Amino acid sequence: MVTRAELEAREGATLAPYATLSQDTRGREYPEAESATRTAFQKDRDRVLHTTAFRRLEAKTQVFLNASGDHYRTRLTHTLEVQQVARSVALTLGLNETLAETIALAHDLGHPPFGHAGERVLNDLMEVHGGFDHNAQARRIVTLLEFRRPDVPGLNLTLDTLDGLNKHDRADLGRPSLEAQVVDAADALAYTAHDLDDGLRSGLITPDQLATLPLWQALTQRAELRSTTITDSERRSLHRELLGWLITDLSVTSDASIRASGITGAPDARAQPRNLITYSDSMRELLRDTATFLQQNLYRHWRVEMQVEQATRVLTTLFHALVGRPSMLPPLYQRWATERGTHRAVCDYIAGMTDRYALDIHASLTPPGSATPWPR
């Protein structure tokens, strides 16, 4: 058997000097004995994987509603793609791939049903009650809402993993670890690549629309694709080519950035004035243009806008109905309503719903043929 001490020794011998080592973890809020055969970050990863919140990602929207088709990305498949990219880049750079993997698996736990549309709706509904942000909700889930033991709130993850989930309010925290920076970059990489792929698969965006996009022009040249129409096989090949291109650019540029910084340890990375994990200037420009294209042509497509309207009606109805009658909440959330405030308890309950569950609960409150009970 390989012991935890041996695994930690391997990290020390093989990882880069600026990687976050398991043996140097900043510990947990509630002290506990560590495993004899797993590192602290391996324990964190396993705890995230076994949460209810992680399982629910399977039925939460990425761009297309979960019921739109079996082949579109869900919040879970997006998370797994981020995990794969983050692990690959971390390995290439000599960083702690287990920590990067753990942060990637946890980074979207806080997403509500119906994707970013659901997040905007909940933030508006909670405007005078603290707002709603999926990054903050992910941390709330792992520190409070999920629990392993009755005497300890949350999952009691290491402070290193929790820090990786802090995307905002970092004034007193410094930069995130290099592993957390890798996850942030991998997140943008993954959704750019797969949203293009899903948009093409769905027909909401076409090769003709993409013809003037600089990233698409460069990509088709790299793949030696000259046709103005593409087959499913060519679309898949382009997706693979794009992933490889983005991952290589991110890895090569970040390696040069780290070397140029002169850092010699993990604390040095957090003290830098800017993130060291980055793309080349030319790639950043291509990604900015692509993000604008996707915003205008996919995320605001009339069919997607209809889904946004559906999300708005469903979540607004549920929120006001449950706030007005908190006795409809499950017992645990009724207790939390008393302890933490009704609005926040209702928000936590709704944010944890899958698309299907939110639609089912909404249907039970609005029988067929009745008008949607908009709040007055």
Side-chain angles (χ1 to χ4, degrees), residues 36 44 48 68 77 82 85 121 136 145 148 152 171 197 231 233-234 245 263-265 267 285 301 307 330 333 372:
D44 282 1
V48 170
S68 299
T77 55
V82 174
V85 172
V121 172
L145 303 181
R148 298 175 58 255
V152 174
D197 187 48
T231 65
S233 176
E234 289 169 335
W245 180 24
I263 62 172
T264 58
E285 185 175 353
H301 191 282
Q307 296 179 1
Y333 288 89
T372 301

Side-chain angles (χ1 to χ4, degrees), residues 52-62 65-66 74-76 108-116 118-119 121-122 125 132 134 137 141 145-146 311 313-323 325-326 328-330 333 336 343-365:
T52 300
F54 184 80
R55 293 192 295 275
R56 287 175 179 167
L57 294 177
E58 178 186 10
K60 289 193 176 189
T61 292
Q62 179 64 26
L65 288 187
N66 184 247
T74 65
R75 191 59 60 178
L76 177 60
D108 265 358
L109 291 180
H111 262 290
F114 310 122
H116 289 290
E119 180 171 15
V121 172
L122 283 183
L125 292 168
F132 179 85
H134 81 268
Q137 189 71 8
I141 285 169
L145 303 181
E146 292 270 355
R313 288 173 178 264
V314 168
L315 297 187
T316 301
T317 298
L318 288 179
F319 184 86
H320 287 288
L322 291 168
V323 166
R325 193 184 295 273
M328 292 191 296
L329 290 168
Y333 288 89
W336 286 349
H343 289 82
R344 182 56 62 182
V346 168
C347 183
D348 286 338
Y349 180 48
I350 292 176
M353 293 180 178
T354 63
D355 294 4
R356 289 193 301 265
Y357 187 67
L359 290 169
D360 287 346
I361 296 298
H362 178 263
S364 71
L365 296 176

Side-chain angles (χ1 to χ4, degrees), residues 113-166:
F114 310 122
H116 289 290
E119 180 171 15
R120 291 192 296 271
V121 172
L122 283 183
N123 187 49
D124 289 343
L125 292 168
M126 290 291 291
E127 183 178 7
V128 297
H129 302 284
F132 179 85
D133 173 79
H134 81 268
N135 294 304
Q137 189 71 8
R139 186 181 174 98
R140 184 173 172 83
I141 285 169
V142 299
T143 59
L144 186 64
L145 303 181
E146 292 270 355
F147 48 87
R148 298 175 58 255
R149 294 163 33 189
D151 58 326
V152 174
L155 305 179
N156 200 28
L157 303 178
T158 63
L159 300 182
D160 310 81
T161 295
L162 293 178
D163 181 64
L165 299 179
N166 274 330

Side-chain angles (χ1 to χ4, degrees), residues 31-281:
E32 63 176 61
E34 292 298 337
S35 168
T37 56
R38 292 180 297 160
T39 67
F41 299 148
Q42 286 176 314
K43 280 177 63 174
D44 282 1
R45 177 198 60 200
D46 298 346
R47 289 178 180 181
V48 170
L49 276 171
H50 289 286
T51 59
T52 300
F54 184 80
R55 293 192 295 275
R56 287 175 179 167
L57 294 177
E58 178 186 10
K60 289 193 176 189
T61 292
Q62 179 64 26
V63 173
F64 300 93
L65 288 187
N66 184 247
S68 299
D70 294 336
H71 300 141
Y72 299 120
R73 270 72 173 191
T74 65
R75 191 59 60 178
L76 177 60
T77 55
H78 165 70
T79 294
L80 295 177
E81 291 183 32
V82 174
Q83 175 205 21
Q84 179 267 315
V85 172
R87 184 176 177 86
S88 296
V89 174
L91 281 166
T92 300
L93 298 177
L95 301 176
N96 194 317
E97 71 272 16
T98 306
L99 177 58
E101 182 180 33
T102 303
I103 296 170
L105 290 172
H107 86 285
D108 265 358
L109 291 180
H111 262 290
F114 310 122
H116 289 290
E119 180 171 15
R120 291 192 296 271
V121 172
L122 283 183
N123 187 49
D124 289 343
L125 292 168
M126 290 291 291
E127 183 178 7
V128 297
H129 302 284
F132 179 85
D133 173 79
H134 81 268
N135 294 304
Q137 189 71 8
R139 186 181 174 98
R140 184 173 172 83
I141 285 169
V142 299
T143 59
L144 186 64
L145 303 181
E146 292 270 355
F147 48 87
R148 298 175 58 255
R149 294 163 33 189
D151 58 326
V152 174
L155 305 179
N156 200 28
L157 303 178
T158 63
L159 300 182
D160 310 81
T161 295
L162 293 178
D163 181 64
L165 299 179
N166 274 330
K167 284 195 173 184
H168 308 297
D169 302 323
R170 299 198 59 88
D172 299 326
L173 298 174
R175 293 287 165 182
S177 65
L178 291 179
E179 290 82 1
Q181 292 180 36
V182 164
V183 173
D184 196 27
D187 187 24
L189 184 159
Y191 70 66
T192 297
H194 65 51
D195 286 358
L196 278 172
D197 187 48
D198 277 352
L200 284 166
R201 181 197 296 270
S202 68
L204 299 194
I205 55 178
T206 66
D208 285 342
Q209 288 177 291
L210 287 163
T212 59
L213 182 66
L215 181 137
W216 184 258
Q217 294 172 346
L219 177 63
T220 52
Q221 287 176 5
R222 290 173 64 92
E224 298 182 346
L225 181 67
R226 309 240 181 330
S227 174
T228 56
T229 60
I230 60 172
T231 65
D232 282 345
S233 176
E234 289 169 335
R235 176 179 51 76
R236 289 191 290 269
S237 294
L238 285 169
H239 181 246
R240 289 194 298 271
E241 179 69 29
L242 178 57
L243 281 176
W245 180 24
L246 291 173
I247 289 171
T248 298
D249 185 276
L250 178 62
S251 300
V252 171
T253 308
S254 297
D255 180 62
S257 173
I258 291 169
R259 292 178 185 276
S261 73
I263 62 172
T264 58
D268 296 339
R270 292 192 288 272
Q272 294 298 301
R274 60 180 178 83
N275 282 359
L276 298 178
I277 304 299
T278 185
Y279 294 96
S280 63
D281 290 342

Side-chain angles (χ1 to χ4, degrees), residues 7-28:
L7 292 172
E8 292 174 344
R10 285 183 189 177
E11 287 184 357
T14 60
L15 297 185
Y18 37 77
T20 305
L21 301 180
S22 300
Q23 64 186 11
D24 296 333
T25 176
R26 286 177 278 172
R28 306 176 189 275

